[in-house]
Amino acid sequence: MSSENQESEAPLESGEEKQQDSQEKDANPVKSEEAKLKSKYPNLGQKPGGSDFLMKRLQKGQKYFDSGDYNMAKAKMKSKQLPVAGPEKGLVTGDHIPTPQDLPQRKSSLVTSKLAG
Amino acid sequence: MAGAGGGANDVQWCFSQVKGAIDDDVAEADIISTVEFNHSGELLATGDKGGRVVIFQQDIENKSQPQCRSEYNVYSTFQSHEPEFDYLKSLEIEEKINKIRWLPQKNAAQFLLSTNDKTIKLWKISERDKRPEGYNLKEEDGRYRDANTITTLRVPVFRPMDLMVEASPRRIFANAHTYHINSISVNSDDMTYLSADDLRINLWHLEITDRSFNVVDIKPANMEELTEVITAAEFHPHQCNTFVYSSSKGTIRLCDMRASALCDKHSKLFEEPEDPSNRSFFSEIISSISDVKFSHSGRYMMTRDYLSVKIWDLNMENRPVETYQVHEYLRSKLCSLYENDCIFDKFECCWNGNDSVVMTGSYNNFFRMLDRTQHRDVTLEASRECSKPRQVLKPRRVCAGGKRKKDEISVDSLDFNKKILHTAWHPQENVIAVATTNNLYIFQEKVN
């Protein structure tokens, strides 16, 4: 079996290449997208795939109100600044508290899947 | 019927069936989250966000005749997982079924593993088609007879009854994962399986629920140093000592459990070197691998990242042997795809039975068939508009810019809420299952 690297479509046969034919190819649509994003969100982190982004992924899950957490956070707020991803950020306690507006709606009761209907 | 041979362009695909509600108002619970054929292809399981599993069975009555099309009908449905609450962290544990994996069949019953974010369950699905009648001490409706009225003895006999399919949980594998389980994979040794979360992979014995062996742990001592997470893992189809896991940075590590007990050090590292001139804010995000699947032969593995599908030869670590663009036209839309979170969508991919064609989903309810042997590809659509019985699916084309031809759809008209994340291919036949948000489509090869 040959080991050549193949692409099944010609690189960038799409129209945007024609529109930017004075410049280079591949990276360009992506670079202009990146510029668009940076102009919209100038404070976007320097490490997009880094800690903050991954932390968010690890903490996925609906957080509910916890009075213990709330009071602890209130106490912390006095001494610290707005908390960012700290050392033990695997634990989602203390600083990330939903407001009543963030609380989810009550889930509907369990019924049989419509695929089986 | 031809086997799973023939390329994507030899085969014409026809609509066969669609399951699920027609209305556009989709309840969250109905969102399909996994689709999987069993090893014979006779059974097709789906899992949804509501924690339910629905199993369809292929009607095999007329299968001996090649002209006949077989249909999948509901075989069993049950609630696999329910929502739970982690009191320590005040976090809800979703009941969404992340993955279903079938065990090879060993007796009359069928077994599958289903998992949500935290707990894996082994389900036994068995048939009951006869029941005992003629008890001495009980009436037919179950009430006990007055002992004084019993004057004779009889032997209860089994009589046929309407088929009943029962699902019962036989094992519950819980409390082994701090982070969210993304993969489960049954080993070819028929005794063990692995489960992977964002940072760890555990090895289980199917009979033992109170113990699990950690084989990979990439959690850094200081969480601020975290740079990548595990995105998928799978056992080799034949070598019971080998498994792979993919990462959010686009790498795949192959581990050999014979080398050491803890497989933090990989045996092989598959990574395609990045062209530094192409580096952008989006590079790492779109290189994150959302699925990894071994070929049936065990010689190759396929990875899916946001824009492409790559085939790797296990003997070559420094680059894939084949790369296919799934929807390259999205490269100029990455900014808005980041803003609406679509850039984080996790598409799966699958092989056909003889590893000649691979399939993966896209947006607008499009899915792609990539023929490795004929080097051709086709884009098809799963929609109610192409759902007349045996209707042949027409290839779809997306126009990335410039003048839009007739029958093409422009990138800006694509519906990014209609995503096909989960697809499955029958292990032996050209039958595919494609899940849209809340509907399951079954397509079959056109038989003349």
Side-chain angles (χ1 to χ4, degrees), chain A residues 4 6 31 33 51 66 111, chain B residues 90 224 279 321 323 332 335:
Chain A
E4 55 187 354
Q6 311 178 2
K31 289 284 186 217
E33 289 295 298
S51 284
D66 184 313
V111 293
Chain B
S90 300
E224 281 188 333
R279 180 127 193 102
V321 289
T323 301
S332 57
C335 179

Side-chain angles (χ1 to χ4, degrees), chain B residues 282-293:
Chain B
F282 304 109
S283 299
E284 195 174 304
I285 301 174
I286 62 172
S287 73
S288 176
I289 292 172
S290 48
D291 195 15
V292 64
K293 292 264 171 49

Side-chain angles (χ1 to χ4, degrees), chain B residues 417-428:
Chain B
N417 290 318
K418 293 192 175 162
K419 28 193 126 183
I420 290 178
L421 304 174
H422 312 286
T423 59
W425 205 312
H426 190 292
Q428 276 124 34

Side-chain angles (χ1 to χ4, degrees), chain B residues 24-39:
Chain B
D24 280 331
D25 191 20
V26 182
E28 279 238 354
D30 293 325
I31 295 173
I32 299 173
S33 50
T34 185
V35 182
E36 188 81 358
F37 281 100
N38 76 336
H39 294 271

Side-chain angles (χ1 to χ4, degrees), chain B residues 90-107:
Chain B
S90 300
L91 278 178
E92 179 179 54
I93 300 169
E94 266 196 303
E95 67 275 32
K96 171 168 76 87
I97 307 296
N98 292 334
K99 286 283 175 351
I100 288 173
R101 289 289 182 264
W102 291 92
L103 269 56
Q105 188 176 16
K106 290 204 234 171
N107 52 39

Side-chain angles (χ1 to χ4, degrees), chain B residues 246-400:
Chain B
S246 59
S247 84
S248 53
K249 276 183 146 176
T251 64
I252 308 101
R253 287 172 175 80
L254 183 141
C255 299
D256 185 338
M257 296 193 292
R258 296 170 303 187
S260 70
L262 193 56
C263 297
D264 279 0
K265 265 180 64 170
H266 53 264
S267 296
K268 293 195 185 186
L269 173 65
F270 297 85
E271 187 173 16
E272 182 167 28
E274 190 196 8
D275 181 356
S277 66
N278 277 341
R279 180 127 193 102
S280 74
F281 174 83
F282 304 109
S283 299
E284 195 174 304
I285 301 174
I286 62 172
S287 73
S288 176
I289 292 172
S290 48
D291 195 15
V292 64
K293 292 264 171 49
F294 277 104
S295 64
H296 292 93
S297 64
R299 164 92 189 262
Y300 300 95
M301 65 179 174
M302 162 168 55
T303 57
R304 173 70 155 97
D305 52 68
Y306 190 61
L307 297 177
S308 67
V309 160
K310 295 179 180 173
I311 311 283
W312 303 79
D313 185 325
L314 292 190
N315 300 316
M316 191 163 79
E317 297 167 59
N318 61 351
R319 57 182 168 83
V321 289
E322 295 156 37
T323 301
Y324 301 96
Q325 301 305 326
V326 179
H327 36 217
E328 180 70 2
Y329 45 79
L330 295 184
R331 210 176 272 274
S332 57
K333 301 285 169 203
L334 291 178
C335 179
S336 40
L337 292 168
Y338 179 90
E339 289 180 296
N340 61 19
D341 271 356
C342 283
I343 205 175
F344 301 107
D345 285 337
K346 297 181 179 54
F347 292 94
E348 292 174 8
C349 53
C350 60
W351 298 83
N352 73 342
N354 67 1
D355 299 335
S356 60
V357 186
V358 298
M359 167 169 62
T360 190
S362 178
Y363 294 104
N364 210 68
N365 283 346
F366 286 172
F367 58 99
R368 302 267 288 139
M369 309 278 238
L370 310 162
D371 189 334
R372 303 176 58 216
T373 50
Q374 301 196 7
H375 310 304
R376 282 189 281 188
D377 57 271
V378 69
T379 305
L380 300 172
E381 182 180 1
S383 95
R384 294 268 174 178
E385 274 133 51
C386 318
S387 60
K388 286 200 279 294
R390 294 183 292 284
Q391 177 175 5
V392 175
L393 298 183
K394 261 180 40 176
R396 313 292 287 159
R397 262 171 273 276
V398 178
C399 165

Side-chain angles (χ1 to χ4, degrees), chain A residues 1 3-9 12 14-16 19 26-27 29-31 33-34 36-37 40-41 44-45 48-51 53-55 57-64 66 69 85-87 90-93 107 110-116, chain B residues 19-21 30 46 48 52 54 56 74 79 85 89-92 95 117 180 198 223-224 226-229 231 272 277-282 284 300 319-325 331-335 338-339 344 346 368 372 375 377 400 438:
Chain A
M1 178 88 181
S3 58
E4 55 187 354
N5 199 344
Q6 311 178 2
E7 315 238 344
S8 64
E9 296 175 15
L12 278 191
S14 48
E16 74 241 35
Q19 294 164 14
D26 275 78
V30 182
K31 289 284 186 217
E33 289 295 298
E34 185 174 10
K36 240 193 267 179
L37 193 69
K40 277 196 188 180
Y41 309 102
L44 208 50
S51 284
F53 164 56
L54 289 177
M55 288 307 171
R57 183 191 175 130
L58 293 181
Q59 288 169 18
K60 154 198 130 172
Q62 182 59 53
K63 183 93 170 76
Y64 284 83
D66 184 313
D69 290 347
L91 306 174
V92 190
T93 53
K107 277 195 167 158
L110 300 171
V111 293
T112 312
S113 165
K114 294 195 180 115
L115 293 184
Chain B
K19 311 278 183 191
D30 293 325
T46 61
D48 66 22
R52 301 165 299 193
V54 182
F56 302 92
V74 179
Q79 186 76 36
F85 199 72
K89 300 180 191 169
S90 300
L91 278 178
E92 179 179 54
E95 67 275 32
D117 283 338
H180 299 109
D198 292 316
M223 282 298 267
E224 281 188 333
L226 181 69
T227 55
E228 69 183 322
V229 295
T231 53
E272 182 167 28
S277 66
N278 277 341
R279 180 127 193 102
S280 74
F281 174 83
F282 304 109
E284 195 174 304
Y300 300 95
R319 57 182 168 83
V321 289
E322 295 156 37
T323 301
Y324 301 96
Q325 301 305 326
R331 210 176 272 274
S332 57
K333 301 285 169 203
L334 291 178
C335 179
Y338 179 90
E339 289 180 296
F344 301 107
K346 297 181 179 54
R368 302 267 288 139
R372 303 176 58 216
H375 310 304
D377 57 271
N438 64 328

